[in-house]
Amino acid sequence: MSQNTPITVAYGDGIGPEIMAATLEVIKAAGARIDVEEIEVGEKVYLRGVPSGIEPSAWESLRRTKVFLKAPITTPQGGGYKSLNVTIRTMFGLYANVRPCVAYYPFVDTKYPGMDVVIIRENEEDLYTGIEYRQTHDMVQSLKLISRPGSEKIIRYAFEYARAYNRKKVTCFVKDNIMKQTDGLFHKIFERVAAEYPDIQNETWIVDIGSAKLADTPEAFDVVVLPNLYGDILSDVAAQIAGSVGMAGSANIGDQCAMFEAIHGSAPRRAGQNVANPSGLLLGAVLMLVHIGQPEVATRVHNAWLRTLEDGIHTYDIYSEKVSKQKVGTKEFAQAIIERLGQMPQTLKPVNYTSAPKLASVQRALQEPLETKELVGVDVFLEWRDGGPDQLGEAIKRLEGDGLQLTMITNRGAKVWPNGLPETFCTDHWRCRFLASNGQALRPQQVIALLHRLAEAGFDFIQTEHLYTFDGRPAFSTASGE
Ligand code: NAD
């Protein structure tokens, strides 16, 4: 029986085939014990009319090997094509996106010689669920979903990662001064999980000033854990300021499967010219080798790669007359690494992946009592174009009754009725808040009866949101100006 680990490989588009060939050549020369199963994903598949960019037969290989080394792909312009990356991450539950961003000064130019930050990005939730609607002629909506188990998993993963790799601090970025429910939940869970890891420092930054600090003083950060959108943006920023987006690899980790890639895209303008830097994908492959239990091969590859950088053998994107000795193409760069297998870097810190870090289970562990949930009101969203807030308030107030009272109307979150300001700009998208008039819990039938009255009166309601309390505490936002 073969001792090799089967892995699924996609050569991708643009520069993908060249950097994948270079990566596989280097890791095989270093002794990687792998059997490659090739699948086709990306542009050609999209253009054959498969909107997901992946053939159904390819899923079979991925489900069997559970390890995917993927070159970047091109998503064709135009509507109708779903992001292959998002599809694979969510279908396989790859909840953690791990992106080490390291400076290789003085061999690769950077303003931050000491930078060594690991970005851990939540990969399945937030605004990336892609649940979007056009609701009125003026308004479109995107749903931001943050769950308790989703947040706990990624935050626990970040602390386990920090412990396994002897990192000192985990930083959380949120915007919970504005998004009190969604980012507020992420922050609250961060604090609860952090309390279980007294050996690791923790801190939370508001994402705007935190990003400014990261871009200005990356040395102040160690491991950073973020919700999906902030993580997507800041991992590119962090990779770029460390040296180049062409140099960073990434791991997408799930409980059962994992995907490894470069963080950059398919750079179509550089394709077919033997100029692309294969380092991002190679470092993705190093993370993969650690994951499949071949840390000694990962170590050989990584140290030989560091030595190649030190020897000034550089692709065009990192070439600089100050430090480079030779400008090489993709193939020659790979060859130079192979020639250095077994050598150690002289100046840069060598790596030593002694074993795959054993991350303790990151399953849900926080004990949450199920609070008592009560329906206390409903927000009804309308498309309405027949006048201003006072006319709408007057018309809707007539539909009160059956225990429901109209308490306010907002437009884009700002209170416009009662007692709104004439300066507030209004669109055709209105939110009418009804609360139980006697302070008692409502029955869903009262909401249905209200909608019936609205429909009979000719109102175009386009969305309803139930308003709940949990153990008596309101679990919905108030309005600006309320
Ligand atoms: P890109 O990352 O492909 O390229 C941006 C620029 O960075 C390139 O013009 C090139 O100058 C440089 N660059 C990137 N990788 C390099 C490398 N390995 N060596 C040398 N230089 C490199 O970003 P883009 O141009 O915005 O996107 C191109 C395509 O890639 C799009 O279709 C996009 O959807 C796709 N994309 C795919 C992935 C993925 O598959 N994971 C990620 C991002 C973008």
Side-chain angles (χ1 to χ4, degrees):
M1 219 175 76
S2 163
Q3 302 233 316
N4 289 352
T5 304
I7 62 165
T8 303
V9 164
Y11 278 76
D13 302 314
I15 59 171
E18 297 160 71
I19 60 174
M20 181 59 83
T23 295
L24 291 175
E25 201 184 340
V26 171
I27 65 172
K28 282 181 180 164
R33 302 178 297 284
I34 52 170
D35 284 332
V36 168
E37 286 187 18
E38 196 185 324
I39 61 166
E40 195 182 40
V41 297
E43 197 173 21
K44 286 198 207 77
V45 184
Y46 282 120
L47 296 178
R48 277 208 296 271
V50 182
S52 61
I54 176 165
E55 295 280 5
S57 57
W59 289 110
E60 194 274 323
S61 170
L62 290 169
R63 293 188 67 202
R64 188 159 26 77
T65 68
K66 303 186 187 315
V67 182
F68 188 20
L69 182 62
K70 185 179 110 358
I73 59 147
T74 302
T75 310
Q77 300 284 315
Y81 302 109
K82 298 294 283 181
S83 160
L84 175 71
N85 281 332
V86 174
T87 303
I88 291 178
R89 286 170 192 161
T90 50
M91 298 284 282
F92 281 129
L94 308 182
Y95 61 88
N97 190 329
V98 183
R99 296 181 164 190
C101 299
V102 184
Y104 304 100
Y105 188 81
F107 306 101
V108 178
D109 208 16
T110 171
K111 295 191 190 84
Y112 309 106
M115 182 169 174
D116 182 2
V117 177
V118 180
I119 304 279
I120 298 190
R121 159 187 171 194
E122 196 288 315
N123 229 2
E124 297 178 288
E125 301 194 342
D126 197 359
L127 285 161
Y128 283 57
T129 55
I131 304 174
E132 295 196 305
Y133 305 99
R134 179 168 176 187
Q135 296 191 311
T136 70
H137 284 80
D138 285 348
M139 191 64 79
V140 287
Q141 184 198 52
S142 184
L143 273 190
K144 171 162 169 147
L145 293 179
I146 301 272
S147 75
R148 288 204 289 186
S151 303
E152 183 183 342
K153 254 179 140 175
I154 189 69
I155 291 165
R156 204 171 277 288
Y157 183 90
F159 279 96
E160 288 291 331
Y161 181 99
R163 202 174 254 174
Y165 283 98
N166 294 318
R167 297 267 176 172
K168 303 283 172 282
K169 185 171 74 173
V170 179
T171 305
C172 169
F173 280 11
V174 280
K175 186 77 185 173
D176 61 341
N177 51 336
I178 304 293
M179 285 165 276
K180 296 184 166 67
Q181 294 285 338
T182 48
D183 284 24
L185 177 65
F186 196 86
H187 187 178
K188 196 171 81 187
I189 292 177
F190 179 79
E191 290 193 338
R192 289 191 58 183
V193 173
E196 295 176 32
Y197 295 82
D199 50 320
I200 295 165
Q201 297 165 42
N202 69 83
E203 62 178 11
T204 303
W205 287 78
I206 297 293
V207 62
D208 40 12
I209 188 63
S211 308
K213 177 85 175 166
L214 178 70
D216 182 60
T217 322
E219 303 87 340
F221 296 93
D222 193 347
V223 174
V224 184
V225 64
L226 312 97
N228 206 339
L229 176 64
Y230 312 145
D232 191 6
I233 297 167
L234 283 172
S235 55
D236 272 26
V237 171
Q240 182 67 27
I241 64 173
S244 158
V245 280
M247 301 274 282
S250 108
N252 296 269
I253 305 286
D255 288 332
Q256 289 161 49
C257 305
M259 172 168 80
F260 301 87
E261 56 186 346
I263 77 160
H264 60 74
S266 58
R269 282 186 305 124
R270 310 281 178 190
Q273 298 158 43
N274 187 40
V275 294
N277 186 346
S279 298
L281 188 60
L282 185 68
L283 291 185
V286 165
L287 297 172
M288 178 191 78
L289 289 166
V290 176
H291 177 81
I292 63 174
Q294 300 184 21
E296 72 295 348
V297 188
T299 302
R300 270 163 70 75
V301 172
H302 201 144
N303 285 329
W305 175 78
L306 290 170
R307 183 62 185 262
T308 309
L309 289 184
E310 284 184 349
D311 286 348
I313 300 175
H314 293 166
T315 44
Y316 84 92
D317 55 315
I318 53 170
Y319 183 87
S320 117
E321 287 192 347
K322 271 191 288 177
V323 290
S324 305
K325 297 214 169 62
Q326 210 185 333
K327 191 191 278 184
V328 293
T330 315
K331 286 184 186 155
E332 295 73 28
F333 186 69
Q335 215 46 52
I337 301 170
I338 290 169
E339 281 161 19
R340 286 162 182 76
L341 286 169
Q343 295 183 32
M344 301 298 271
Q346 309 289 293
T347 309
L348 295 169
K349 201 166 131 223
V351 297
N352 183 14
Y353 300 105
T354 45
S355 63
K358 289 274 173 284
L359 299 180
S361 169
V362 293
Q363 294 304 319
R364 188 171 182 175
L366 292 180
Q367 296 299 320
E368 297 282 355
L370 277 186
E371 305 107 314
T372 305
K373 175 179 155 192
E374 279 186 338
L375 181 64
V376 296
V378 61
D379 279 352
V380 182
F381 291 77
L382 305 174
E383 172 162 0
W384 195 68
R385 315 176 68 86
D386 298 340
D390 288 337
Q391 284 145 302
L392 181 62
E394 203 177 301
I396 297 283
K397 197 133 178 65
R398 290 193 211 114
L399 305 173
E400 283 183 343
D402 189 23
L404 278 165
Q405 190 180 5
L406 179 68
T407 60
M408 69 166 180
I409 299 175
T410 70
N411 199 297
R412 297 191 303 176
K415 192 190 80 171
V416 293
W417 182 94
N419 310 320
L421 294 179
E423 288 84 359
T424 307
F425 177 79
C426 290
T427 66
D428 63 359
H429 186 266
W430 306 82
R431 175 177 62 155
C432 304
R433 173 159 293 178
F434 293 87
L435 291 175
S437 45
N438 57 5
Q440 303 284 302
L442 292 173
R443 287 171 300 112
Q445 287 82 346
Q446 290 167 275
V447 175
I448 294 166
L450 171 67
L451 295 182
H452 189 72
R453 295 197 294 280
L454 283 162
E456 288 290 308
F459 283 103
D460 180 11
F461 57 87
I462 40 107
Q463 178 187 350
T464 58
E465 279 299 329
H466 286 184
L467 307 177
Y468 294 109
T469 58
F470 285 78
D471 279 353
R473 284 186 299 276
F476 44 90
S477 54
T478 51
S480 323
E482 201 183 345

